[in-house]
Each structure stands twice: as C-alpha cells, then as structure tokens.
Amino acid sequence: MTIDPILNPFANLDPADIVSLRRVFDRHSFTEKSVGDVLPACLNGNPTSNGAAPIVLRALREENPLNLLIRLFLVNASIPEGPLREVFGDRLFSGLVAGGLLGPTPGGFACPLIVNPLRGFYIIHDTISARVADFSRHLVMGVGTSSLTPANATPRRHYRRALDVGCGGGFQAFHLATHCDKVVALDINPRALNLGRAAAILNRADNIDFRLSDFYSAVEGETFDLIVSNPPFVISPESEFHYRDGGLGADRVTETVIRNAPDHLAEGGLAVIICEWASLHGGDPHGRLKEWLSGSNCDVWVSTSKEDDLVSYAMSWLRSYRAHLSPEEFRQTFDRWMDYYESLNMEGIQTGLVVMRKRTGNNWLFIDEAPSVIRGRWGESLLQLIDIHTLLHTATVDELLDQRFKLASAARMRHIYEQVGNRWASSEADIFLVEPLPYSGRVDQYTAGLCARCDGTVPLRQLVAGMGEAVGVTFPEIVEAAMPILRGLMQRGYLIPVSLLPPDPEAPQA
Ligand SMILES: C[S@@+](CC[C@H](N)C(=O)[O-])C[C@H]1O[C@@H](n2cnc3c(N)ncnc32)[C@H](O)[C@@H]1O
C-alpha cells in the first residue's frame, strides 16, 4: 500500500522520537508561558498570526535552545544543522529528518508544520501559507476564536465518554482527554487525524480514539456524555477547505451537526457546538435553527453574536483568503458570493454557541445575545444557567416563590439618580455581572432593592411581598409585575436559587 505524504505526513516518524521530542520541549521549557514571555508585546502572544514571522525572527535573534524551538516550530524558520543537532542530539535529529518533521532547505532544515504550545498541549497544524498549497483542501487549521469559544464553555467535569466532531489537529479532544475517560475524535480529513495522533503522543494523551468519519458516520449507534464541535460552518459558495466550508452548501454543515447530535447524546448528556446559520428575508432570524432543534429531546441554550450583514461577512472572508486577486477578479468573486446569498434568500448570518442537554420530556429553548466579552473558562456557570432554566421551565410560580435566591457574587450595581427638586433621588440602577458572562441590564429601584436582599436566607415570596408593600399594590399584582423581571435576572444568572448553588465548603457540617 502506498502512503500519501499529504494525508499522512508522519508515516515515517517513529513514535519513540515524538516521545524524545517532548523531552526536549520540557527540558527547554517550550511552553505557551515561556514563549509568551519572550515574544514582543505587539504580537499578543500569537507568533503564528499572519505577518508575525519577521517580528519573531528579529526579536529572537539570540542563540539559545528556546529561541531555536520557537523559530523552528512557530515560524518555520530555516535553521543550520549544527544548532539543530546540539538541541536535539544526533539520534533524534536524524529521526526528525527521516520522519519529515524537519525538511532540508538551502540554509539547513525547517519544519513544514507548526507545533504550537497552547493551553498545556501541543497542537500540530499547517501554516497560513498552506492555504494556497496544492494540498490546501486537506489543510489542518490552527487554533482560532471558533476553537477557543467551545473550549472555554465546555464544563471540565469528569465524564465517561466524550466526542469531538471535526477534531482537526485535536484542540478540543486534548482538553476532553484531561477530564473524560475516553474521547472519540472524528474528522473527514486523514491529514488532520494523523497530525492529531502525533500530537497525542506529544501530549501524553492515550485515551483518544481518532476516527475517519463523515460527521457522525463512524459512531453510528454510540452515545456520549459530552459532545464538542467546532464544525466547518462558514456559509459561502466555496467548498475549498475541509476545515472551513465543509462542502455541503448553505448552512447544511450546521444543520447536520445539530440535527444528529441528540442521537449521540446519552440522557443528561451535553453538546457544546459553535456554528452559523442563515437568517432568511422576512423570517425569524433563528427560524432555521429552531426547526432543526424541534423535537430534539434536548433543552437548548443558545448564545448568539450580533447578526453579521452579508457584505461585511463576505468581505472579511475574501480579504483574508483572496487578497492576492486582481481588483477585477476580487470584484467578480465578491459578486459570486453575494449572488449565492441572494439565491438562498439570505438576509444575514447568525453565529452562536448552541448548548444542548438531553432531557426527554417537555423541553425549553432559550436564545439570547451573548455579552460582548466572555472572560475565562465558564463551563460551570453554563451548567448552572442550564439548571436554572430547567427549574424556571418546570416549576410553578408558587414553587419559585418558595425558593430562596442568592445574588451572584459577580453582580455589581450602579445607581442612577435623578434631580428631584433640589436633591438627588434614586430612580433606576444598572445591574451587571463582572464575570464570567458579563451581562448587563437596567432595573427599577424596587427590583434593585430586592436583589440586594437576596442573600439566600429568605424565600422569594417574602421579598416580593415586601416589594408589593413598598409600591403599594396587592400581592397578586406585584407577583404578576415582578416575576417576568425576576425571571429575566434568573435566566442570566444574577439571581441563583440556593438549591442550585454548590455546597459552601465553609458551612458547618451537620
Ligand atoms: C473548524 S475545524 C475545527 C478544528 C478543531 N476541532 C478546533 O476546534 O480547532 C473543522 C474540522 O471539521 C472537519 N470536517 C469537515 N467536514 C467534515 C465532515 N464531513 N465530517 C467530519 N469532519 C469534518 C475539518 O476537516 C476540520 O478539521
């Protein structure tokens, strides 16, 4: 059998050499932190971004092993043989050359791929310049925002079986391998699977099963406790790259991943999927997503970004991928993209993080615009929000009023005062969360007061009754007026039912 070096660039690389390479990385502290410490600040810790190479090469001219590893593995610099032998040793150097991780250049040797230390893992992926290489369809992408969003949102609890759909170089799978017993990582691109397999050795992750698969085809009949996916969701007339446009047309990649996820979720299992869908003229911007989710047997929480207008969307993709075209070719390509959107009756493009939790029964769907910047990793907050939504969906108003609530510790308030006569009188307040989902909103002074009193000791009924007295209305009237506002605060995690809070480690033991 002949081996295609595009699909399997590491066929001749001895796994023992990958193990030795990791030792070299450890010895010289080739880590995200050390790399970040020596990079010029203007690169924001990202040496692999477009145009970064000359900056990295100039800044890291001093000869030392860490600089050599950065130049070699992050910006594909050519390095003379002598220093390479010094850092790797003769045996490993020869192994890396034989295995294709070092290729000859006029001045020495260079690595044809990126080996990127990120989040405690090494991700092996293609360079940006490979977008125009003859194997570009099989190009394996690096780690971008669409990779980080699901990675940051995924709860890092212990799960038995996890699935990564469209694993690429394995960024999601390596995260999953740290907290799940077994991970199945699927991709249609054999090159991605082979880069992932090599990186798994570097990452000492031995619980990932990389499988060639057309979406879920290789896991037929299997269920998982956790699914994560960053599929090739870009909506365009192209089918150029496995990693970007998937080749199904319109938003059918998203449809396929979303529609089929429930069949592969165990009861209670969670799917975290970043994706895009078309919003059509004259319809609900989320109409298509809702249709795919109907009857899914999942509760669904969706956090969307602002809708992209088609011109800006097409332009941003074309500027990154078609900058080399002549102005006339560029215009024609742009026209082709816009004609395509017109033919699909599209008005805009929605981007969202779709989180599905399987719960056979009467399900809820909540679609909300995401706060602009979500900081850090927020998987636990996400689970808490889903639990709150389920409670709001299943409990009666009386049952909710019997619950005790606590104001989130990340909640803050800014009061607004109005001039009344010759003094300031408090009117409304801006309420916001400082982390991890920094929602913000405005509440009236009575709701602001109620929130302050949510310390987890008093049932909501009592607080709402007090609010009614302050406003001068009956209890049923205040319940009717206040509950929609309070529900909104609960849905975004300002007010958390004590029953859903993690146990307080400081609390005295019974
Ligand atoms: C956007 S990349 C995501 C890579 C990685 N999971 C991450 O989050 O950084 C999408 C991946 O889906 C893969 N893919 C495209 N079409 C597929 C299909 N029909 N079945 C499975 N995977 C597919 C691509 O090869 C690519 O690796």
Side-chain angles (χ1 to χ4, degrees):
M1 196 179 79
T2 52
I3 290 166
D4 181 337
I6 298 296
L7 303 185
N8 191 359
F10 295 138
N12 299 320
L13 188 58
D14 183 345
D17 286 336
I18 307 179
V19 172
S20 305
L21 182 63
R22 172 62 192 253
R23 281 199 213 104
V24 172
F25 288 174
D26 290 345
R27 190 176 318 130
H28 299 298
S29 192
F30 181 50
T31 62
E32 184 174 14
K33 160 113 187 43
S34 308
V35 172
D37 286 347
V38 298
L39 286 181
C42 66
L43 291 177
N44 287 324
N46 187 0
T48 63
S49 58
N50 214 352
I55 304 171
V56 173
L57 292 176
R58 178 145 191 96
L60 305 188
R61 278 171 298 175
E62 186 193 315
E63 289 303 334
N64 65 50
L66 178 61
N67 284 357
L68 178 144
L69 293 173
I70 295 173
R71 293 199 304 255
L72 184 66
F73 289 123
L74 292 174
V75 297
N76 309 103
S78 170
I79 313 257
E81 183 172 337
L84 290 172
R85 283 187 183 275
E86 241 169 72
V87 168
F88 295 121
D90 291 336
R91 213 198 57 78
L92 179 56
F93 170 77
S94 306
L96 296 179
V97 172
L101 203 55
L102 293 181
T105 61
F109 290 83
C111 178
L113 293 151
I114 304 283
V115 183
N116 203 346
L118 283 172
R119 298 271 178 109
F121 312 113
Y122 292 94
I123 308 298
I124 307 181
H125 60 85
D126 282 304
T127 61
I128 290 183
S129 57
R131 282 179 187 171
V132 290
D134 50 4
F135 66 90
S136 63
R137 178 148 184 73
H138 291 98
L139 184 154
V140 179
M141 70 168 235
V143 172
T145 312
S146 70
S147 317
L148 292 170
T149 302
N152 289 343
T154 299
R156 299 296 169 199
R157 290 186 179 179
H158 171 248
Y159 293 93
R160 234 166 32 84
R161 281 169 56 78
L163 180 69
D164 177 359
V165 184
C167 63
F171 186 66
Q172 313 298 338
F174 294 133
H175 282 84
L176 295 171
T178 62
H179 62 103
C180 303
D181 294 341
K182 159 129 196 193
V183 180
V184 177
L186 308 176
D187 209 287
I188 201 167
N189 179 3
R191 181 176 173 88
L193 295 170
N194 286 316
L195 298 196
R197 287 183 184 117
I201 302 175
L202 269 181
N203 294 325
R204 303 178 178 129
D206 57 7
N207 55 347
I208 308 177
D209 178 3
F210 288 93
R211 297 186 198 168
L212 189 65
S213 186
D214 187 359
F215 296 110
Y216 300 88
S217 66
V219 288
E220 224 168 275
E222 292 181 51
T223 56
F224 297 85
D225 307 301
L226 182 58
I227 297 177
V228 179
S229 185
N230 169 16
F233 49 68
V234 175
I235 305 175
S236 80
E238 320 287 0
S239 53
E240 222 174 336
F241 305 109
H242 279 309
Y243 79 89
R244 192 189 66 180
D245 3 67
L248 297 188
D251 49 12
R252 280 192 286 275
V253 163
T254 297
E255 176 175 2
T256 306
V257 175
I258 297 275
R259 272 196 198 273
N260 292 290
D263 284 348
H264 297 283
L265 278 177
E267 187 69 15
L270 193 77
V272 180
I273 300 165
I274 177 117
C275 53
E276 290 182 349
W277 57 95
S279 107
L280 304 184
H281 278 292
D284 174 351
H286 308 303
R288 289 175 66 70
L289 179 70
K290 287 178 183 169
E291 184 193 322
W292 307 331
L293 288 166
S294 87
S296 66
N297 283 330
C298 289
D299 293 324
V300 187
W301 183 92
V302 183
S303 173
T304 63
S305 315
K306 251 193 182 16
E307 178 167 302
D308 275 306
D309 73 90
L310 298 171
V311 170
S312 316
Y313 182 87
M315 270 299 173
S316 82
W317 282 107
L318 294 176
R319 282 195 186 113
S320 355
Y321 284 77
R322 293 283 187 271
H324 57 284
L325 296 182
S326 72
E328 179 52 21
E329 287 167 333
F330 192 93
R331 187 193 64 72
Q332 286 173 10
T333 311
F334 173 67
D335 269 352
R336 191 162 55 78
W337 279 52
M338 297 312 291
D339 288 348
Y340 180 71
Y341 294 143
E342 249 176 60
S343 73
L344 294 171
N345 188 33
M346 281 174 64
E347 183 164 36
I349 290 180
Q350 291 284 337
T351 307
L353 185 74
V354 177
V355 182
M356 310 164 74
R357 186 162 74 178
K358 189 143 177 187
R359 185 174 62 85
T360 306
N362 174 13
N363 297 116
W364 54 265
L365 165 66
F366 181 77
I367 303 181
D368 200 14
E369 201 168 291
S372 52
V373 183
I374 303 180
R375 292 180 189 86
R377 304 181 194 190
W378 48 285
E380 283 305 310
S381 304
L382 176 63
L383 285 180
Q384 192 174 62
L385 281 178
I386 292 176
D387 285 340
I388 293 174
H389 280 269
T390 305
L391 176 76
L392 290 174
H393 186 71
T394 52
T396 63
V397 174
D398 264 331
E399 284 166 342
L400 279 182
L401 288 167
D402 286 339
Q403 294 263 339
R404 290 173 294 126
F405 286 81
K406 217 168 173 182
L407 184 64
S409 56
R412 302 285 184 274
M413 199 166 272
R414 244 183 244 117
H415 276 276
I416 298 164
Y417 289 84
E418 277 175 10
Q419 191 184 0
V420 178
N422 58 358
R423 65 183 184 86
W424 290 108
S426 169
S427 59
E428 291 181 312
D430 287 331
I431 187 165
F432 56 98
L433 294 170
V434 285
E435 51 141 40
L437 287 148
Y439 283 115
S440 60
R442 186 159 285 187
V443 289
D444 59 80
Q445 55 170 311
Y446 301 104
T447 308
L450 181 144
C451 287
R453 284 189 281 280
C454 280
D455 61 0
T457 63
V458 185
L460 187 62
R461 181 182 300 282
Q462 201 173 316
L463 299 177
V464 172
M467 195 177 177
E469 279 163 30
V471 183
V473 298
T474 65
F475 185 68
E477 282 168 340
I478 194 67
V479 168
E480 195 181 331
M483 276 320 272
I485 301 167
L486 295 176
R487 274 178 172 276
L489 292 172
M490 294 168 197
Q491 284 172 329
R492 290 169 186 82
Y494 295 98
L495 296 179
I496 305 163
V498 170
S499 58
L500 296 180
L501 281 170
D504 179 358
E506 309 278 288
Q509 300 291 308

